[in-house]
């Protein structure tokens, strides 16, 4: 790629250009996700949908306003029910707690159902470095795990994989017949493979879609039933959850369950919604409550509502940028619009450019089941990035210069006259070369009119 | 009714015909239109790039210019959305609060303060509409598919009375066109890809004209079309109405 | 300070202003026949099969119709109530021999009292036990669309999912 003044040479824009390099695959990716968005539209066409979104936003804001009390209530109730509750300040502490539980029980193989929190904490590589085998049980997660990749979508981890590629991967890793690419048969093969593996797992790790303070319970939603297979088969269940997952009551849970699957996959509810309030007879259950930067977000009034996220993935599916740039372009465990407002909060220096990977079209805010004001937060991150010296390359020069020209009519018209001359005398090839990001991907140079509106108005004696 | 026509910077230089059409249209609808709005830019390009310091001088100049008028019309949903929703917070001044109160997008002004007059005329073309995201989801000048509303809005209402006009309803009527201000150059590949998809949607429905209430979307879409040798005609809503009712 | 105290202190230091709880939901009212119809329709949409058991009908005969003579790999469980809007049936672990019975077999049959159909999850949540234990909302068979968005049943749990709405007046539901 040629050097450009404005486009970063690394990061989202470059990764997106790479993804779009395979135009056919990019179009397929866009269409796959658009179909999910359309399913969402159909599933959310309820008369009370907007009121439900209001309730979702309100119950989350309420939970954030009483977060400490709710977590204490959860701990009290869960402990009384025989659950061990652990607290982790950060990812390292979370991983160490999980390892400690496994080591104490001499566990060498664990199953894990989909949990974005454990991805955030890097639990898999950590446990593997300590000699523990981790088997991801969600089919999509298993696919990317076998391929040694991270998920590219928080709900559909392997949305970027084509069936033939999965067939080849399964042939290589779990021994399906060469050339097999039928989704039914590949899924059946994965089922057998996973069931065999799970029988010998010493613990089942799950995430938590919701923690309910009132019951001290953990709620896990899956379509495959894989979380159940993991947590009920092994003697130990470990649920890992960010502290923001808590809600006050079962009534609140009911609202979220109505919103979650409808928004995410266009289903009225997931096939399995599991409520675990206590360990199974003879078994053990642990809940690890993780902070890992969430309290900083909580203290940041303008950005706080990002903690409302229920990880439904609707904003990814609707995002015209995500659909065309792929999950990996975000370089963060959470992708898409919600990732673009979460990641800069984790490390502004590393992720500031995600705030610019949006047209601010607002579709994300309109599908968000808990009404997170994503475009507004993107704008705030842009401002903070600029203030912290992290603006995209060239912005710190271009925009002050532009601002100078645009701040007074005489400067503006003087600049426009110069530009008009340049346009007349310089060859278009020079202005529109490969170094110009406007023209490089296939866009003609805009043409300045021979006479501006104001010049016309003056000529007509209308400038009054 | 006395109004000022505030012409956005890029419209003044790149698409003056949209401003002239807006002027003619407003006058035909009985407005006394003032053109001495001598601030070139509201500050949005810098503001949306996060460059608040670079935005302030232009924004302040614009807000002060607005103080002389009781109603300001802009032929741009995007600029209007910014003036109404961001300018006051950026400047925290009396002129900016005034500007936010009195500024209207063109179609919004016709449908609102001007009392939705019936425009009769003739436009024998198949027309695809692109409302522009800030008009649609920012100003709510049209329904949003995300909210299960028909994606029509004030632009469609204005066009509906024209003789000979047929609508080419798009598969993704409110998908962003990919312009996004600085996004167009910061993320050029995604931007152009979105533009191409929008044009493909328009072509699939055999539209011969693409109309928008946002000249910035048109600037981008026209440039993508031109680079591909696509003969699609792009018109601002004011240009179309002016041509049809002349 | 322990991790717990550090976290709770940081939360309190964030000083989040009070926000009221969400408004209580409006209860939807519909007659039972409508709710059953809605439930059965939703069940079809989520890939399940449903039927009513009328007074006097034997469960065995119904199962024969649903499953055929072969009952291998079939788990038959009692559901406590059903939700019309999404075809979910609540099954409590107290009614199972073991928790992993819920994903053990390829065919799942849930028998639920036909007068225990509620409109939405709002009403359903009030019926979910608050105390220790475990329970599920099951809505259709286990499914995945992780391979190119093609819907496949039986990813991990049941491949086929049946619900019998039991309207037998002297219902002694099977378990």
């Amino acid at each position: 790629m040629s050097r450009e003044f404005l486009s970063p040479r690394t990061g989202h824009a470059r990764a997106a250009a790479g993804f779009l390099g395979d135009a056919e695959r990019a179009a397929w990716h866009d269409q796959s996700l658009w179909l999910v968005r359309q399913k969402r539209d159909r599933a959310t066409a309820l008369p009370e949908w907007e009121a439900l979104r209001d309730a979702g936003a309100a119950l989350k804001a309420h939970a954030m306003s009483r977060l400490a009390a709710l977590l204490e209530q959860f701990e009290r109730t869960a402990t009384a029910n025989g659950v061990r509750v652990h607290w982790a300040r950060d990812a390292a502490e979370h991983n160490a707690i999980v390892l400690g539980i496994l080591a104490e029980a001499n566990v060498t193989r664990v199953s894990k159902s989909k949990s974005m929190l454990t991805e955030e904490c890097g639990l898999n590589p950590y446990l593997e470095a300590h000699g523990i085998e981790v088997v991801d049980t969600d089919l999509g997660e298993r696919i990317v795990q076998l391929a040694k990749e991270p998920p590219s979508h928080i709900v559909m981890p392997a949305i970027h994989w084509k069936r033939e590629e999965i067939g080849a991967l399964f042939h290589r890793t779990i021994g399906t017949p060469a050339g097999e690419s039928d989704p039914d048969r590949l899924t059946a093969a994965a089922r057998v493979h996973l069931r065999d593996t799970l029988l010998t797992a010493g613990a089942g790790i799950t995430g938590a879609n919701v923690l309910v303070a009132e019951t001290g319970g953990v709620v896990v939603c899956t379509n495959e039933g894989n979380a159940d297979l993991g947590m009920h088969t092994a003697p130990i269940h470990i649920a890992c959850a960010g502290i923001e997952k808590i809600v006050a009551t079962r009534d609140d849970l009911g609202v979220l369950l109505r919103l979650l699957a409808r928004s995410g996959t266009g289903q009225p509810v997931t096939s399995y919604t599991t409520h675990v309030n206590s360990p199974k007879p003879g078994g053990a259950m642990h809940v690890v409550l993780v902070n890992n930067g969430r309290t900083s977000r909580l203290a940041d009034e303008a950005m706080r509502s990002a903690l409302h996220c229920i990880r439904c993935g609707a904003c990814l599916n609707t995002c015209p940028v995500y659909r065309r740039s792929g999950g990996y372009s975000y370089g963060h465990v959470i992708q898409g619009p919600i990732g673009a407002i979460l990641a800069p909060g984790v490390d502004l220096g590393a992720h500031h450019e995600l705030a610019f990977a949006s047209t601010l079209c607002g579709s994300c805010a309109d599908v968000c089941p808990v009404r997170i004001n994503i475009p507004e937060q993107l704008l705030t991150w842009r401002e903070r990035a600029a203030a912290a010296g992290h603006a995209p390359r060239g912005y710190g020069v271009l925009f002050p210069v532009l601002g100078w020209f645009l701040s007074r009519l005489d400067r503006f018209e003087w600049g426009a006259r110069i530009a008009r001359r340049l346009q007349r005398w310089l060859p278009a090839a020079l202005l529109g070369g490969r170094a110009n990001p406007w023209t490089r991907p296939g866009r003609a140079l805009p043409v300045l009119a021979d006479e501006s509106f104001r010049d016309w108005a003056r000529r007509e004696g209308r400038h009054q | 009714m006395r109004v000022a026509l505030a012409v956005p910077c890029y419209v003044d230089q790149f698409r003056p015909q949209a401003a002239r059409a807006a002027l003619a249209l407003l006058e035909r609808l009985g407005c006394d239109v003032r053109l001495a709005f001598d601030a070139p830019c509201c500050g949005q390009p810098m503001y949306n790039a996060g460059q608040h310091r670079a935005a302030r001088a232009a924004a302040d100049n614009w807000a002060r210019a607005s103080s002389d008028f009781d109603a300001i019309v802009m032929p741009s949903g995007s600029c209007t959305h910014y003036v109404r929703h961001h300018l006051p917070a950026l400047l925290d001044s009396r002129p900016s609060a005034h500007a936010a109160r009195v500024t209207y997008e063109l179609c919004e002004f016709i449908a609102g303060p001007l009392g939705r007059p019936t425009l009769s005329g003739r436009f024998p073309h198949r027309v695809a509409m692109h409302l522009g995201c800030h008009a649609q989801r920012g100003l709510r000048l049209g329904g949003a598919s995300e909210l299960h509303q028909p994606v029509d809005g004030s632009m469609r209402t204005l066009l509906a009375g024209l003789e000979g006009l047929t609508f080419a309803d798009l598969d993704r009527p409110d998908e962003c066109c990919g312009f996004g201000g600085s996004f167009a150059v910061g993320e050029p590949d995604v931007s152009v890809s979105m533009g191409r998809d929008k044009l493909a949607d328009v072509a699939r429905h055999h539209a011969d004209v693409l109309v928008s209430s946002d000249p910035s979307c048109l600037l981008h879409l026209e440039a993508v079309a031109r680079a591909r040798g696509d003969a699609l005609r792009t018109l601002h809503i004011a240009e179309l109405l002016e041509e049809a009712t002349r | 300070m322990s991790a717990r105290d550090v976290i709770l202190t940081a939360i309190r230091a964030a000083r989040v202003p009070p926000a009221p709880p969400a408004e209580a939901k409006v209860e939807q009212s519909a007659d039972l026949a409508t709710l059953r119809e809605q439930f059965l329709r939703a069940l079809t949409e989520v890939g399940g099969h449903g039927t009513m058991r009328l007074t006097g009908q034997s469960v065995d005969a119904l199962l024969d119709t649903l499953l055929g003579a072969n009952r291998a790999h079939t788990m038959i469980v009692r559901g406590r109530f059903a939700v019309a809007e999404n075809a979910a049936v609540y099954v409590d672990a107290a009614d199972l021999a073991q928790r992993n019975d819920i994903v053990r077999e390829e065919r799942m049959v849930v028998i639920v009292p036909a007068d225990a159909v509620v409109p939405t999850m709002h009403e359903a949540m009030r019926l979910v036990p608050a105390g220790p234990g475990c329970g599920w909302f099951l809505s259709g068979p286990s499914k995945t669309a992780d391979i190119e968005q093609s819907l496949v049943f039986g990813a991990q749990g049941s491949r086929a999912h049946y619900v019998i709405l039991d309207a037998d007046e002297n219902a002694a539901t099977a378990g």
Side-chain angles (χ1 to χ4, degrees):
Chain A
M1 197 185 303
S2 65
R3 262 178 298 164
E4 288 173 7
F5 180 54
L6 294 165
S7 296
R9 275 180 293 181
T10 56
H12 186 273
R14 180 170 180 128
F19 189 80
L20 286 163
D22 186 344
E24 185 267 331
R25 176 185 288 265
W28 165 81
H29 188 263
D30 166 69
Q31 190 58 30
S32 299
L33 287 152
W34 183 255
L35 290 175
V36 183
R37 157 67 211 274
Q38 288 180 309
K39 277 165 69 183
R40 173 261 170 212
D41 290 351
R42 288 191 292 273
T44 57
L46 308 174
E48 70 271 32
W49 183 250
E50 295 306 317
L52 261 184
R53 292 176 68 215
D54 288 336
L59 73 90
K60 278 292 194 175
H62 174 67
M64 292 308 116
S65 76
R66 295 193 55 229
L67 189 55
L70 292 179
L71 288 169
E72 285 169 333
Q73 184 189 1
F74 175 86
E75 181 187 41
R76 225 171 23 246
T77 318
T79 306
N81 288 343
V83 178
R84 280 279 310 276
V85 178
H86 310 257
W87 302 73
R89 272 169 289 204
D90 53 26
E93 207 162 75
H94 161 265
N95 292 348
I97 288 167
V98 174
L99 179 66
I101 296 166
L102 299 176
E104 199 183 300
N106 295 314
V107 173
T108 55
R109 177 184 264 183
V110 295
S111 73
K112 186 163 76 63
S113 69
K114 199 140 67 59
S115 146
M116 294 323 294
L117 179 82
T118 59
E119 290 288 332
E120 171 188 328
C121 294
L123 181 67
N124 283 20
Y126 175 85
L127 291 181
E128 280 155 12
H130 287 84
I132 291 170
E133 185 193 351
V134 185
V135 181
D136 276 316
T137 57
D138 172 80
L139 179 59
E141 283 236 307
R142 187 66 180 149
I143 292 167
V144 293
Q145 189 188 32
L146 289 171
K148 300 184 170 32
E149 281 183 358
S152 80
H153 185 292
I154 55 174
V155 175
M156 300 173 282
I159 186 75
H160 60 301
W161 278 74
K162 294 202 174 187
R163 64 180 71 189
E164 294 78 16
E165 294 161 347
I166 296 167
L169 174 74
F170 278 12
H171 173 60
R172 205 171 68 239
T173 51
I174 65 171
T176 51
E180 181 60 81
S181 65
D182 175 68
D184 274 305
R185 285 195 285 271
L186 291 174
T187 303
R191 174 188 170 108
V192 172
H193 164 73
L194 279 170
R195 285 202 167 230
D196 289 349
T197 316
L198 280 171
L199 289 177
T200 56
I205 298 173
T206 70
N209 288 89
V210 187
L211 303 171
V212 185
E214 181 190 23
T215 62
V218 173
V219 179
V220 182
C221 304
T222 74
N223 278 319
E224 298 181 13
N226 58 308
D228 292 292
L229 207 56
M231 74 173 108
H232 308 313
T233 306
I236 301 170
H237 171 207
I238 307 171
C240 305
I243 52 176
E244 84 283 13
K245 289 285 163 200
I246 201 146
V247 301
T249 63
R250 283 171 294 168
D251 281 349
D252 292 345
L253 172 64
V255 173
L256 293 187
L257 291 177
R258 295 194 75 194
L259 289 165
L260 177 66
R262 282 187 173 91
S263 298
T265 55
Q267 298 170 260
V269 70
T270 49
S271 300
Y272 296 80
T273 305
T274 308
H275 306 246
V276 210
N277 294 3
S278 65
K280 64 167 167 271
M285 178 175 168
H286 301 260
V287 175
V288 188
L289 300 172
V290 185
N291 182 6
N292 206 33
R294 285 162 176 75
T295 47
S296 314
R297 193 77 182 207
L298 191 70
D300 187 344
E301 195 190 340
M303 307 288 204
R304 183 180 296 143
S305 69
L307 292 173
H308 296 182
C309 177
I310 58 173
R311 303 290 190 265
C312 70
C315 64
L316 281 70
N317 304 339
T318 201
C319 179
V321 178
Y322 172 85
R323 277 189 263 115
R324 291 172 181 82
S325 68
Y328 297 146
S329 63
Y330 291 83
H332 186 62
V333 59
I334 310 284
Q335 315 81 13
I338 182 66
I341 61 167
L342 286 173
V346 176
D347 183 345
L348 185 58
H351 298 297
H352 56 88
E353 63 172 67
L354 293 185
F356 298 86
S358 164
T359 64
L360 307 175
C361 80
S363 185
C364 49
D366 277 358
V367 296
C368 179
V370 289
R371 295 195 191 277
I372 301 171
N373 58 342
I374 296 175
E376 290 299 318
Q377 295 197 31
L378 287 169
L379 274 170
T380 307
W381 280 126
R382 289 179 186 189
E383 181 203 354
R384 289 190 190 174
H390 292 307
R393 210 153 58 98
Y395 277 34
V397 178
L398 176 79
F399 286 101
V401 171
L402 191 65
W404 186 85
F405 277 110
L406 294 176
S407 60
R408 269 180 27 198
L409 190 59
D410 54 346
R411 292 175 191 167
F412 173 68
E413 299 202 308
W414 176 67
R417 272 196 296 279
I418 295 174
R420 206 165 265 111
R421 261 180 225 153
L422 287 175
Q423 179 178 276
R424 203 166 299 148
W425 300 116
L426 286 181
L430 190 68
L431 295 170
R434 289 187 55 80
N436 182 344
W438 176 270
T439 50
R440 199 254 307 142
R443 202 164 23 194
L445 275 174
V447 181
L448 285 157
D450 290 336
E451 185 180 45
S452 75
F453 176 74
R454 279 193 182 82
D455 283 343
W456 170 84
R458 287 189 190 103
R459 192 161 56 75
E460 294 280 313
R462 290 294 319 266
H463 191 257
Q464 53 187 303
Chain B
M1 187 179 286
R2 209 174 119 159
V3 299
L5 181 66
V7 180
C9 49
Y10 62 96
V11 176
D12 184 50
Q13 295 296 332
F14 289 103
R15 205 166 182 118
Q17 66 269 34
R20 287 167 61 175
L23 170 64
L25 185 63
L26 287 169
E27 289 185 331
R28 176 129 10 111
L29 294 172
C31 294
D32 174 9
V33 185
R34 304 279 136 167
L35 300 181
F37 195 97
D38 279 340
C41 173
C42 59
Q44 187 190 199
M46 288 73 74
Y47 179 86
N48 278 5
Q51 303 281 327
H52 287 203
R53 200 183 309 164
R56 258 185 210 105
D60 188 52
N61 190 32
W62 201 95
R64 284 171 200 280
S66 79
S67 312
D68 299 335
F69 305 100
D70 298 327
I72 299 166
V73 175
M74 288 185 105
S76 159
S78 172
C79 298
T80 306
H81 174 251
Y82 155 86
V83 166
R84 194 173 296 165
H85 293 288
H86 294 130
L87 190 70
L90 175 68
L91 296 176
D92 192 20
S93 65
R94 280 167 72 100
S96 63
H98 171 79
R101 247 188 340 266
V102 302
T103 305
Y104 297 87
E105 187 273 334
L106 177 67
C107 298
E108 181 185 30
F109 187 72
I110 296 172
L114 290 189
R116 203 184 291 268
T118 311
L119 294 163
S120 52
R122 189 175 152 68
F123 196 75
H125 295 282
R126 194 164 162 76
V127 175
M129 293 188 301
H130 176 68
L131 194 49
C133 298
H134 289 159
Q136 178 153 27
R137 297 187 200 86
L139 297 171
R140 300 288 181 201
L141 298 186
S145 60
E146 294 87 352
L147 306 179
H148 313 100
Q149 298 160 333
V151 183
D152 43 16
S154 44
M155 194 159 67
R156 190 171 186 128
T157 315
L158 289 175
L159 295 175
L162 299 179
E163 203 184 308
L165 183 147
T166 53
F167 289 108
D169 290 318
L170 302 182
D171 293 333
R172 301 184 188 181
D174 53 0
E175 172 105 321
C176 178
C177 71
F179 174 64
S182 56
F183 179 87
V185 285
E187 291 266 358
D189 297 273
V190 182
S191 174
V192 169
S193 165
M194 288 166 69
R196 283 183 186 151
D197 289 350
K198 177 61 73 181
L199 294 172
D201 201 351
V202 171
R204 231 178 358 258
H205 294 89
H206 311 291
D208 48 334
V209 171
L210 173 65
V211 64
S212 176
S213 56
D214 234 307
S216 57
C217 302
L218 291 177
L219 189 79
H220 158 72
L221 287 169
E222 187 273 333
V224 175
R226 194 147 44 87
R228 293 157 64 90
D230 185 337
L232 176 76
R233 213 175 151 213
T234 61
L235 287 176
H236 183 258
I237 177 74
E239 295 165 21
L240 191 158
L241 289 172
E242 179 52 15
E243 186 177 320
T245 59
R246 191 163 45 209
Chain C
M1 253 196 318
S2 67
R4 175 185 189 276
D5 294 340
V6 170
I7 294 169
L8 291 173
T9 305
I11 293 170
R12 294 200 161 98
R15 299 197 171 281
V16 181
E23 298 276 318
K25 301 304 131 352
V26 181
E27 305 279 326
Q28 299 195 357
S29 58
D31 64 89
L32 207 49
T34 311
L35 291 176
R36 286 174 190 161
E37 235 171 77
Q38 197 192 343
F39 173 87
L40 291 170
R41 202 168 48 241
L43 184 61
T44 310
E45 281 163 20
V46 299
H49 310 275
T51 189
M52 290 280 293
R53 178 191 171 212
L54 304 174
T55 303
Q57 266 185 311
S58 95
V59 173
D60 265 345
L62 260 181
L63 289 175
D64 280 344
T65 329
L66 286 177
L67 307 170
N70 184 358
R71 302 272 174 84
H73 305 296
T74 304
M75 180 67 63
I76 301 172
V77 302
R78 171 182 166 226
R80 298 212 175 162
F81 56 91
V83 189
E85 68 162 337
N86 57 18
V89 179
Y90 180 78
V91 176
D92 200 281
D95 301 332
L96 303 180
Q98 309 175 42
R99 287 187 189 177
N100 72 349
D101 282 354
I102 206 76
V103 282
R104 188 187 299 280
E105 298 295 354
E106 304 213 344
R107 294 193 292 193
M108 170 66 83
V109 181
V110 190
I111 302 173
V112 62
D115 55 5
V117 186
V118 300
T120 73
M121 292 303 267
H122 303 308
E123 297 79 18
M125 276 306 147
R126 307 205 167 152
L127 303 174
V128 172
C134 175
W136 298 265
F137 283 102
L138 296 183
S139 171
S142 161
K143 53 178 87 74
T144 182
D146 275 338
I147 301 179
E148 276 195 22
Q149 287 295 298
S150 335
L151 185 62
V152 179
F153 292 147
Q156 315 252 357
S158 56
R159 289 178 205 271
H161 177 86
Y162 305 89
V163 178
I164 297 173
L165 292 178
D166 191 349
D168 187 301
E169 276 164 9
N170 3 305
T173 46

